[in-house]
């Protein structure tokens, strides 16, 4: 490692007004003020700034000449070590001090030289993970996901993170006692290369044993267990445990849920899971104001009782008044059954005034949904009474006793904000003859996929379509017909503005299709810019579907409640630019 430090002598600074006269060096205990400038590439400069004491102490009000000299002496070595953490093990460091300026000007120049690249990686695992197909698959995965593969530049922070990630991957997938046994980064400064080696001990495979629940006062342990799909004796999985916790938090019963596994290898066959709960208040009254580009201004209110009758039965009373939609509903939600089913009973009144079509729909329904979010079966029965009035036309009345079922597949890395994987849903239903104005069947299919092209670029695609199988749309409640357009369907068009034209109104059709492709470039881990193209329409016959295009640019922000989207879209059919924004995953 080559380093060079340049310190001016007392003759380097001249006394003002006396040419050629040498200045007198200040006393060692004299107070000095100085400012440091770092000249280096951005990453190296950041590392140097945080590591060099001379820089970190430059605002110290009682800095003395003696302390300054000691810090300056150490600065070269500290800067060299900081550059090494960024993979530059042969960096040249120059330190210059200009005492002719006030405050004293210090310039720290770091010339990195050639970066050190990873030339070889060896990851060895011992323990039970090497003896089973499950363990071997996890070992393959941690090698494939190793953060410093051959060919990339060495970084000390990434090296530390890579070792931590390998242990965490094993620990999250049955091997809770996994540990790092040995690690080495062998650096060759002349070849500018690094050979990395890691040895891990997986320990035994852990299996779910008994659960210990702390903090439960209002709710029974049986009710809590019913939120879990974990089978006793199954291999421990951090993801499975996280799914359990997420369901408990999403239920509203709890304000906080934490879980830990006992990593004692002696108890691996029946590992104890300890869960700590903080129960949420049972009653909640909320009110709010809002705005969306689809339905515009909103006033809403809700009342929730999470423990009606002391049985865990939830009561949800909601009301909202928007520019285009008015809705009131009353829902009763039962806690999960032992078999993993959640039952909901609802009464709803919904009125809309969209694209010169006024509708009023009242309904009473019952629905059962499986607990598992990744493979979810749901089915229900409801009676719907509907009135729809296109502008300038008479009101049409209809009703239906509707029976339906749906199945959802979610194969994604994150249920709230996916970055890789796919989701799909199929819905089948129909109006029961004799109890419906018109006999009909209904089918809907949706699919969306996410694929990361690189660390900072990703692409997603969405397709969906539906059909109402009947001789006519007359006599079919409006909520079973299709309109599209808006924030989450075809951007560039007003909400539900794409459908069947009846005079000045747009009514629902019996068929619809929508497709979208979007690319996102992430400027930082939390926000990025997007480009998208949407296409879709709704009509009364499949052959008449003429997809209209919408395309544009948008901003993306990752938030705790899901992605925030702000889009500027051009609707080619309308030759108009619209602003759209939405929050959360729409599926």
């Amino acid at each position: 490692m080559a380093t060079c430090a340049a310190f001016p002598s007392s003759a380097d600074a001249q006394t003002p007004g006396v040419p050629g006269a040498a200045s007198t060096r200040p006393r060692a205990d004299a107070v000095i003020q100085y400012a440091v400038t770092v000249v280096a590439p951005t990453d190296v400069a950041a590392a140097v700034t945080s590591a060099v004491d001379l820089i970190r102490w430059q605002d110290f009000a009682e800095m003395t000449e003696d302390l300054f000299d000691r810090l300056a002496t150490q600065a070269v070595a500290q800067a060299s070590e900081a550059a090494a953490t960024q993979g530059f093990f042969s960096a040249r460091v120059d330190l210059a001090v200009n005492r002719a300026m006030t405050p004293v000007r210090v310039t720290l120049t770091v010339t990195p030289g050639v970066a050190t690249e990873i030339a070889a990686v060896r990851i060895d695992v011992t323990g039970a993970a090497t003896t089973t197909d499950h363990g071997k698959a996890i070992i393959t995965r941690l090698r494939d996901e190793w953060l410093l593969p051959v060919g990339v530049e060495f970084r000390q922070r990434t090296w530390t993170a890579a070792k931590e990630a390998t242990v965490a991957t094993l620990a999250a997938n049955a091997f809770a006692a996994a540990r790092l046994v040995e690690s080495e980064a062998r650096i060759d400064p002349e070849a500018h290369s690094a050979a990395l080696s890691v040895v891990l001990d997986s320990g035994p495979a852990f299996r779910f044993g008994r659960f210990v629940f702390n903090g439960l006062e209002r709710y029974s342990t049986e009710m809590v267990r019913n939120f879990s799909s974990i089978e006793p004796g199954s291999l421990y999985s951090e993801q499975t445990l996280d799914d359990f916790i997420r369901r408990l938090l999403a239920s509203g019963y709890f304000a906080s849920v934490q879980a830990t596994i006992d990593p004692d290898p002696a108890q691996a066959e029946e590992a104890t899971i300890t869960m700590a709960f903080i129960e949420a208040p049972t009653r909640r009254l909320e009110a709010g104001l809002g705005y969306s580009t689809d339905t515009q201004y909103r006033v809403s209110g809700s009342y929730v009782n999470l423990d009606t009758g002391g049985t865990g039965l939830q009561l949800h009373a909601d009301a909202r008044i928007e520019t285009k939609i008015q809705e009131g509903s009353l829902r009763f939600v039962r806690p999960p059954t032992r078999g993993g089913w959640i039952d909901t009973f609802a009464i709803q009144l919904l009125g809309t005034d969209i694209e010169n079509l006024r509708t009023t729909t009242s309904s009473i329904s019952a629905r059962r949904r499986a607990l598992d979010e990744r493979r979810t079966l749901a089915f229900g029965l409801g009676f719907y009474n509907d009135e729809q009035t296109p502008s300038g036309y008479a009101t049409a009345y209809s009703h239906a006793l509707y029976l339906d079922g749906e199945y959802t597949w979610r194969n994604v890395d994150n249920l709230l904000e996916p970055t890789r994987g796919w989701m799909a849903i199929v819905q089948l239903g129909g109006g029961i003859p004799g109890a419906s104005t018109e006999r009909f069947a209904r089918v809907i299919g949706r699919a969306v996929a996410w694929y990361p092209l690189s660390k900072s670029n990703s692409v997603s695609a969405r397709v969906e379509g539906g059909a109402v199988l009947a001789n006519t749309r007359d006599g079919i409640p409006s909520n079973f017909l299709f309109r599209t357009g808006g924030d989450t369907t075809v951007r560039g068009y007003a909400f539900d503005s794409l459908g069947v034209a009846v005079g000045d109104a747009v009514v629902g059709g019996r068929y619809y299709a929508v497709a979208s492709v979007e690319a996102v470039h992430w400027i930082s881990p939390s926000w990025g810019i997007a480009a998208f193209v949407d296409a879709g329409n709704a009509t009364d016959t499949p052959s008449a579907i003429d997809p209209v295009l919408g395309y544009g640019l948008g901003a993306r922000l990752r938030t705790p409640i899901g992605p925030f989207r702000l889009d500027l879209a051009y609707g080619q059919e309308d030759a108009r630019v619209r602003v759209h924004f939405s929050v959360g995953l729409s599926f």
Side-chain angles (χ1 to χ4, degrees), residues 101-138:
M101 301 185 67
T102 303
V104 173
R105 175 64 56 85
V106 180
T107 303
L108 187 62
T109 303
V110 182
T111 306
V114 180
T116 298
E117 290 190 355
I118 309 302
V121 176
R122 179 174 178 176
I123 302 174
D124 293 326
V125 180
T126 62
T130 63
T131 63
T132 65
D133 291 340
H134 171 76
K136 292 175 182 178
I138 299 304

Coordinates of all heavy atoms in Angstrom, one line a residue, residues 101-138:
M101 N -4.3 29.9 5.7 CA -5.7 30.2 5.6 C -6.4 30.2 7.0 O -5.9 29.4 7.9 CB -6.4 29.3 4.7 CG -5.9 29.3 3.2 SD -6.8 28.3 2.1 CE -8.3 29.2 2.0
T102 N -7.5 30.9 7.2 CA -8.3 30.8 8.4 C -9.7 30.5 8.0 O -10.3 31.3 7.3 CB -8.2 32.2 9.2 OG1 -6.8 32.5 9.4 CG2 -8.9 32.1 10.5
P103 N -10.3 29.4 8.5 CA -9.6 28.4 9.3 C -8.5 27.7 8.5 O -8.5 27.8 7.3 CB -10.7 27.5 9.7 CG -11.7 27.6 8.6 CD -11.7 29.1 8.2
V104 N -7.7 26.9 9.1 CA -6.6 26.1 8.5 C -7.3 25.2 7.5 O -8.3 24.5 7.8 CB -5.8 25.4 9.5 CG1 -4.8 24.4 8.8 CG2 -5.1 26.3 10.4
R105 N -6.8 25.2 6.3 CA -7.4 24.3 5.2 C -6.6 23.0 5.1 O -5.4 23.0 4.9 CB -7.3 25.0 3.9 CG -7.8 24.2 2.7 CD -9.2 23.8 2.8 NE -10.1 25.0 2.9 CZ -10.5 25.7 1.9 NH1 -10.2 25.4 0.7 NH2 -11.3 26.8 2.1
V106 N -7.3 21.9 5.3 CA -6.8 20.6 5.2 C -7.4 19.9 4.0 O -8.6 19.8 3.9 CB -7.0 19.7 6.5 CG1 -6.4 18.3 6.4 CG2 -6.5 20.5 7.7
T107 N -6.5 19.4 3.1 CA -7.0 18.6 2.0 C -6.6 17.2 2.1 O -5.3 16.9 2.1 CB -6.5 19.3 0.7 OG1 -7.0 20.6 0.6 CG2 -7.1 18.5 -0.5
L108 N -7.5 16.3 2.1 CA -7.2 14.8 2.1 C -7.6 14.2 0.8 O -8.8 14.2 0.4 CB -8.0 14.2 3.3 CG -7.7 12.7 3.6 CD1 -6.2 12.6 4.0 CD2 -8.7 12.2 4.6
T109 N -6.6 13.9 0.0 CA -6.8 13.3 -1.3 C -6.5 11.8 -1.3 O -5.5 11.4 -0.9 CB -5.9 14.0 -2.3 OG1 -6.1 15.4 -2.3 CG2 -6.1 13.5 -3.7
V110 N -7.6 11.1 -1.8 CA -7.4 9.6 -1.9 C -7.5 9.2 -3.3 O -8.6 9.4 -4.0 CB -8.5 8.9 -1.1 CG1 -8.4 7.4 -1.1 CG2 -8.5 9.4 0.4
T111 N -6.5 8.6 -3.9 CA -6.5 8.1 -5.2 C -6.6 6.6 -5.1 O -5.7 5.9 -4.7 CB -5.2 8.4 -5.9 OG1 -4.9 9.9 -5.9 CG2 -5.2 8.0 -7.4
P112 N -7.8 6.1 -5.4 CA -8.1 4.7 -5.1 C -7.2 3.7 -5.8 O -6.9 2.6 -5.3 CB -9.6 4.5 -5.5 CG -10.1 5.9 -5.6 CD -9.0 6.8 -6.0
G113 N -6.9 3.9 -7.1 CA -6.2 2.9 -7.8 C -7.2 1.9 -8.4 O -8.4 2.1 -8.6
V114 N -6.7 0.7 -8.6 CA -7.5 -0.4 -9.2 C -8.3 -1.1 -8.1 O -7.8 -1.5 -7.1 CB -6.6 -1.4 -9.9 CG1 -7.4 -2.5 -10.5 CG2 -5.8 -0.7 -11.0
A115 N -9.6 -1.3 -8.4 CA -10.5 -2.0 -7.4 C -10.2 -3.4 -7.3 O -9.7 -4.1 -8.3 CB -11.9 -1.8 -7.8
T116 N -10.4 -4.0 -6.1 CA -10.1 -5.4 -5.9 C -11.4 -6.2 -6.3 O -12.5 -5.9 -5.8 CB -9.8 -5.7 -4.5 OG1 -8.6 -5.0 -4.1 CG2 -9.7 -7.2 -4.2
E117 N -11.3 -7.2 -7.2 CA -12.4 -8.0 -7.6 C -12.4 -9.4 -7.0 O -11.3 -9.9 -6.7 CB -12.4 -8.1 -9.2 CG -12.8 -6.8 -9.9 CD -13.0 -7.1 -11.4 OE1 -12.8 -8.2 -11.8 OE2 -13.4 -6.1 -12.1
I118 N -13.6 -9.9 -6.9 CA -13.7 -11.3 -6.3 C -13.2 -12.3 -7.4 O -13.8 -12.3 -8.5 CB -15.1 -11.6 -5.9 CG1 -15.7 -10.5 -5.0 CG2 -15.2 -13.0 -5.2 CD1 -14.9 -10.3 -3.8
A119 N -12.2 -13.1 -7.1 CA -11.6 -14.0 -8.0 C -12.1 -15.4 -7.7 O -12.2 -16.3 -8.6 CB -10.1 -14.0 -8.0
A120 N -12.5 -15.7 -6.5 CA -13.0 -17.1 -6.1 C -13.8 -17.0 -4.9 O -13.6 -16.1 -4.0 CB -11.8 -18.0 -5.8
V121 N -14.9 -17.8 -4.8 CA -15.8 -17.9 -3.7 C -15.9 -19.4 -3.3 O -16.2 -20.2 -4.2 CB -17.1 -17.3 -4.0 CG1 -18.1 -17.5 -2.8 CG2 -17.0 -15.8 -4.3
R122 N -15.8 -19.7 -2.0 CA -16.0 -21.0 -1.6 C -16.9 -21.0 -0.3 O -16.6 -20.3 0.6 CB -14.7 -21.7 -1.2 CG -14.9 -23.2 -0.7 CD -13.6 -23.9 -0.5 NE -13.8 -25.2 0.0 CZ -12.8 -26.1 0.2 NH1 -11.6 -25.8 -0.1 NH2 -13.1 -27.3 0.6
I123 N -18.1 -21.7 -0.4 CA -19.0 -21.7 0.7 C -19.2 -23.2 1.1 O -19.8 -23.9 0.3 CB -20.4 -21.0 0.3 CG1 -20.2 -19.6 -0.1 CG2 -21.4 -21.1 1.5 CD1 -21.4 -18.9 -0.6
D124 N -18.8 -23.5 2.2 CA -18.9 -24.9 2.7 C -19.9 -24.9 3.9 O -19.9 -24.0 4.7 CB -17.6 -25.5 3.2 CG -16.6 -25.6 2.0 OD1 -17.1 -26.0 0.9 OD2 -15.4 -25.4 2.2
V125 N -20.8 -26.0 3.9 CA -21.7 -26.1 5.0 C -21.6 -27.5 5.6 O -21.4 -28.5 4.9 CB -23.2 -26.0 4.5 CG1 -24.2 -26.1 5.6 CG2 -23.3 -24.6 3.8
T126 N -21.6 -27.6 6.9 CA -21.6 -28.9 7.6 C -22.9 -29.0 8.4 O -23.6 -28.0 8.6 CB -20.4 -29.0 8.6 OG1 -20.5 -27.9 9.6 CG2 -19.1 -28.8 7.8
G127 N -23.2 -30.1 8.9 CA -24.4 -30.3 9.7 C -25.5 -31.0 8.9 O -25.3 -31.5 7.8
A128 N -26.7 -31.0 9.5 CA -27.8 -31.8 9.0 C -28.3 -31.2 7.7 O -29.0 -32.0 6.9 CB -29.0 -31.7 10.0
A129 N -28.0 -30.0 7.3 CA -28.5 -29.5 6.0 C -27.9 -30.2 4.9 O -28.5 -30.2 3.8 CB -28.1 -28.0 5.9
T130 N -26.8 -30.9 5.0 CA -26.2 -31.6 3.9 C -26.7 -33.0 3.7 O -26.4 -33.7 2.8 CB -24.6 -31.8 4.2 OG1 -24.4 -32.6 5.4 CG2 -24.0 -30.4 4.4
T131 N -27.7 -33.4 4.6 CA -28.1 -34.8 4.5 C -29.6 -35.0 4.0 O -30.0 -36.1 3.8 CB -28.1 -35.4 5.9 OG1 -29.0 -34.7 6.8 CG2 -26.7 -35.4 6.5
T132 N -30.3 -33.9 3.7 CA -31.7 -34.0 3.3 C -31.8 -33.1 2.0 O -31.1 -32.2 1.7 CB -32.7 -33.4 4.3 OG1 -32.4 -32.0 4.5 CG2 -32.5 -34.2 5.6
D133 N -32.9 -33.5 1.2 CA -33.1 -32.7 0.0 C -33.5 -31.3 0.3 O -33.1 -30.4 -0.4 CB -34.3 -33.4 -0.8 CG -33.9 -34.7 -1.4 OD1 -32.7 -35.0 -1.5 OD2 -34.8 -35.5 -1.7
H134 N -34.2 -31.1 1.4 CA -34.6 -29.7 1.8 C -33.4 -28.9 2.1 O -33.2 -27.8 1.7 CB -35.5 -29.8 3.0 CG -35.8 -28.4 3.6 ND1 -36.6 -27.5 3.1 CD2 -35.3 -27.9 4.8 CE1 -36.7 -26.4 3.8 NE2 -35.8 -26.6 4.8
G135 N -32.5 -29.5 2.9 CA -31.3 -28.8 3.3 C -30.4 -28.5 2.1 O -29.8 -27.4 2.0
K136 N -30.2 -29.5 1.2 CA -29.4 -29.3 0.0 C -30.0 -28.1 -0.8 O -29.2 -27.4 -1.4 CB -29.3 -30.6 -0.8 CG -28.5 -31.6 0.0 CD -28.5 -33.0 -0.8 CE -27.8 -34.0 0.0 NZ -27.8 -35.3 -0.8
A137 N -31.3 -28.1 -0.9 CA -31.9 -27.0 -1.7 C -31.6 -25.6 -1.1 O -31.4 -24.6 -1.8 CB -33.4 -27.2 -1.8
I138 N -31.6 -25.5 0.2 CA -31.3 -24.3 0.9 C -29.8 -23.9 0.7 O -29.5 -22.7 0.5 CB -31.6 -24.4 2.4 CG1 -33.1 -24.7 2.6 CG2 -31.2 -23.1 3.1 CD1 -34.0 -23.7 2.0

